[in-house]
Each structure stands twice: as structure tokens, then as C-alpha cells.
Amino acid sequence: MALQHSPQIDETAIVAKMDFCIPGEKVIFYPADRARSRWPYRPHEVKIYDARAVKDQLDLERSGFVLVERESAVENFYDPEEVERVYIPEVTALVQELTGADKVITFGTMVRSSAADKQGHLPAFGAHVDYGDRTVREYARRVLGDEEAERWLRGRYVLINVWRPIKTVYSAPFAVCDASTVAASDLNDSEVHGGLGDPNRPPLYGYSVSFNPNQRWYYVPEMRPDEVLVFKLFDSDSARVQWTAHSAFEHPHTRPDAPPRESIEIRTISFFAP
Ligand code: OGA
Ligand code: FE
């Protein structure tokens, strides 16, 4: 069931072009060599609502995403040592608090910038869901070792991303789609080769998302560094909402002199004791 919209929400909604996968087409993406990719995406106009206007209704089990106000103690997100030491524990604690999981692990830290001259990776334009069950299980084994992973993987496990601006976002904002409005038939298989900043990484398996008029998209206008989007991508309990599709997009009101978008995202897996 989609979120309740007040009549005023239309006044702040925008219409923007977003890239969607052609239904039935498979994506094979090489982030380090985009020209080699199979990328059957096409732009589509979508209405994108202000997530702050529905903040109180958001719930990981209902909409698949929440918007949380939470300062970070990190001073420099471009320092991997500080991210590891300060940010990873903050993210782990936040996800643990939101899910009530018995154990939370993290992987796949990505710092992004829309400025080519900055350290980090470009925003990801194109609706997608990273990742599916196969890759979640592979990461559980990689982080925990086979034996411990097998124990936890017998219970419920949930993949959740935590996305935060490094500076207030004035360009290339990030949109998420209410997971309860994403249908299984919107998902197309995707493989990312050499993803998460490692050209030698084995393929990551997820989904490219096709447009469906029932989808409800949201973004946080001029999202601040003390705001965090936490969104669910996979749930081993398939009766629950999962698949919070998401994408960067070009906001039609972006000023030509707007600073580049800088953000950090971390992937987490929550485990519930069987
Ligand atoms: C993500 C993601 C894209 C972006 O956090 O999973 O796809 O542009 N981010 O920040
Ligand atoms: Fe993603």
C-alpha cells in the first residue's frame, strides 16, 4: 500500500527524467569501462515527491526506506581509515537500532562525487536494486567466513543501504522508490563486473528496474549531511517488502554553478537468529 499523500505534496513534487531499464533486457555493467557495458536504459519522465513530507509514515517494513536525522562524528569521509574507524560503527549501530537485528555486518563502502576531478565514483544514474540473494550470501561468507555465515544464513537476513550526503546536495540528487510500489515484474537481472571500486571483483548480481506507473518516487530536496536515507534492497523473507529501487537523477532546477554532489553509501546485512 502506497503512502498517504497530503493534498499539498503535489506542490513540492517535481517531474524529472530518470533512466529505466527496457523491460526484459539484461544489464551487464563495467563501471571501470562503461563503453564495454550492455546498458539498455532509456529516459522516462517521473514525478518525484518530497520524502520529508511523508517522513513520519516511512518504515522499512512498509515503504522499504526511512529518512533519519543523525549527525556523524566523521570529519573527513575521504579518509578510508576514519570511515572504517568512526563511520562503520555508526552505520552498524543505526541499522541495528532500526531493524533490531541480532547481528549487523557492513561491506561495499562507496564515496561518490559528480565532479570528475574528485576522489570517488560517479553517481549511479539508472533505476536499480543492488543486490539479490546470491550476492548477499556471497558477502556474508566473505565477511564472516563460511562456517559462521552458514549459521546466520539459516535465519532471516536483510540487505540495507545507508546513504548520506557529504555536503548538502545541490546537484545529481538521489531518489528512492517506495518498495511497496515496486513489482517483481519491474526487475530485470543485472550483473556488475568489477563493481564497488575493484576492477577484479567477481560479478555482483542485482536488478535493473523498469518503469511502472504505480511506482512512487521520492527524494530529499537539498538533502543535508545530517540526513540519512536507509533503504532495504533484499529480504530473505519474500513475504515482506524489499527492492527499494533507487537512482541518481538530474534535477530540472539545478543551477549551472551548483557544486558537485558528494555522498557516501555503505551496504549492511542484518541477521536474525534462526
Ligand atoms: C546506492 C546507489 C547511487 C548514487 O547507494 O546503492 O546506487 O548515485 N547510489 O549515489
Ligand atoms: Fe544502488
Side-chain angles (χ1 to χ4, degrees), residues 128 130 246 267:
H128 70 278
D130 43 344
H246 54 277
R267 290 145 180 87

Side-chain angles (χ1 to χ4, degrees), residues 16-23 25 27 39-48 125-128 175 177 182 186 188 208-213 215-217 245-249:
K17 280 210 175 78
M18 199 185 285
D19 290 339
F20 288 89
C21 186
I22 297 173
E25 293 281 334
V27 163
W39 189 251
Y41 272 86
R42 295 287 177 274
H44 206 292
E45 276 197 343
V46 277
K47 194 159 188 174
I48 310 179
F125 292 93
H128 70 278
C177 186
V182 176
D186 300 343
N188 309 281
S208 300
V209 175
S210 301
F211 179 74
N212 162 0
Q215 291 170 357
R216 286 259 193 107
W217 286 87
H246 54 277
S247 180
F249 68 99

